[in-house]
Amino acid sequence: ANFAAYAFAPATLVTPLGALSVLVSAVLSSVFLSEQLNVHGKVGCMLSILGSTVMVIHAPQEEEVSSLESMAEKLKDPGFIVFAVCVLVSSLLLIFVAGPRYGRSNVLVYVLVCSAIGSLSVSCVKGLGIALKELFAGKPVLKEPLGWVLLLCLVVCISVQINYLNKALDIFSTSVVTPVYYVLFTTAVMTCSAILFKEWQHMVLDNVVGTISGFLTIVCGIFLLHAFRDVAFAPDLLPLFLQPSRAELHAAWRRLSRRQGSIPITGAVPVMGDKAPSQ
């Protein structure tokens, strides 16, 4: 279904909406596996739904790419070539230089590899989706070499992603890897899609602000859903004025103050201008 979505909708819209799968898995695990969804998780679910709705409303429109010939022209764009070279070089440096030194102590090393390579895999998926639509339309797509090249690149990219994502999950907790991977992967895909398909070129300012705001809202929801999964919500975590014991104490203090205010004061009170009594 995700593969088909990339063929019919902008990647900037499809990739962030992948947060809904995290939301559905959290709800289903709570229902069928009896896993407790704490207050942070419920707030994270609501934020994910809110951010997804905002992104759908302000979704960018990509340039129409209806054939493999148009896809080939997009792939020859100098901006995309520079981006792809930077992704490959940075991934090789992370794998062979940073990985052996910092891979077991920093979660960003392997997750960055997955995210950077994943941005290229999404581009391959877009091209294969276009090829499949042409194939169903009766065009001789199997004779086009670009389709087979995209398929080969997709297999390589997905293999690299799975390998290094599993390494990150073996070393670090899922509650840490999942939100970090979602943020980095989505950012990389949105950047690649903006360069390749010019999705942000004709967007007005309110749609740009809406898309970014929706994405940041989803990010906050994912972090609340995963990063604080094992944090038990207790009244002690609330601010002092919201804690029940403090609230009762404050109410009792106010009642005592009202009672004292209703007692008549019989003593004389010196006023300005009066002479102070002698010792």
Side-chain angles (χ1 to χ4, degrees):
N2 201 30
F3 181 92
Y6 281 115
F8 295 99
T12 304
L13 175 62
V14 175
T15 304
L17 291 183
L20 295 180
S21 64
V22 181
L23 170 64
V24 172
S25 65
V27 174
L28 293 182
S29 63
S30 177
V31 174
F32 294 103
L33 302 179
S34 299
E35 295 183 0
Q36 295 296 326
L37 193 63
N38 57 15
V39 177
H40 304 92
K42 295 176 182 178
V43 174
C45 291
M46 291 188 291
L47 287 177
S48 299
I49 295 175
L50 176 62
S52 301
T53 304
V54 173
M55 287 207 69
V56 170
I57 295 174
H58 299 280
Q61 298 295 323
E62 64 184 0
E63 289 186 358
E64 185 66 25
V65 182
S66 57
S67 63
L68 284 179
E69 289 79 7
S70 301
M71 187 67 186
E73 293 296 326
K74 295 290 185 183
L75 294 175
K76 295 177 184 178
D77 185 75
F80 177 74
I81 294 176
V82 172
F83 174 80
V85 170
C86 293
V87 166
L88 294 176
V89 172
S90 60
S91 299
L92 292 175
L93 291 175
L94 289 170
I95 293 172
F96 295 107
V97 178
R101 297 181 181 179
Y102 311 107
R104 305 193 67 85
S105 60
N106 195 328
V107 68
L108 293 177
V109 176
Y110 293 139
V111 175
L112 277 173
V113 175
C114 302
S115 304
I117 298 298
S119 64
L120 299 180
S121 67
V122 169
S123 302
C124 297
V125 168
K126 283 289 281 189
L128 288 176
I130 294 171
L132 287 177
K133 287 196 295 185
E134 288 191 329
L135 180 63
F136 293 146
K139 297 182 180 180
V141 178
L142 298 178
K143 298 180 181 180
E144 295 287 340
L146 179 60
W148 298 105
V149 172
L150 292 175
L151 179 61
L152 177 61
C153 292
L154 179 62
V155 172
V156 173
C157 291
I158 290 180
S159 301
V160 173
Q161 281 182 264
I162 293 176
N163 181 33
Y164 287 97
L165 184 59
N166 285 334
K167 284 188 176 182
L169 291 172
D170 288 339
I171 300 171
F172 304 97
S173 171
T174 306
S175 61
V176 176
V177 174
T178 301
V180 174
Y181 175 67
Y182 172 80
V183 173
L184 295 179
F185 174 71
T186 306
T187 303
V189 170
M190 292 173 65
T191 304
C192 179
S193 184
I195 295 174
L196 182 60
F197 298 105
K198 308 294 189 297
E199 294 179 349
W200 299 71
Q201 187 172 0
H202 302 292
M203 290 181 65
V204 295
L205 181 60
D206 57 343
N207 287 336
V208 173
V209 174
T211 302
I212 296 176
S213 301
F215 173 60
L216 294 179
T217 305
I218 297 175
V219 169
C220 294
I222 293 296
F223 266 91
L224 282 176
L225 189 60
H226 281 273
F228 301 99
R229 176 186 298 175
D230 300 326
V231 177
F233 183 80
D236 295 339
L237 298 177
L238 290 172
L240 295 178
F241 65 91
L242 291 178
Q243 294 182 10
S245 60
R246 296 281 181 173
E248 295 176 0
L249 181 61
H250 183 66
W253 179 81
R254 292 185 63 182
R255 289 195 297 268
L256 181 60
S257 300
R258 290 174 181 174
R259 289 179 182 176
Q260 291 179 348
S262 61
I263 298 176
I265 300 175
T266 57
V269 179
V271 295
M272 295 297 294
D274 291 346
K275 295 183 179 179
S278 60
Q279 294 292 335

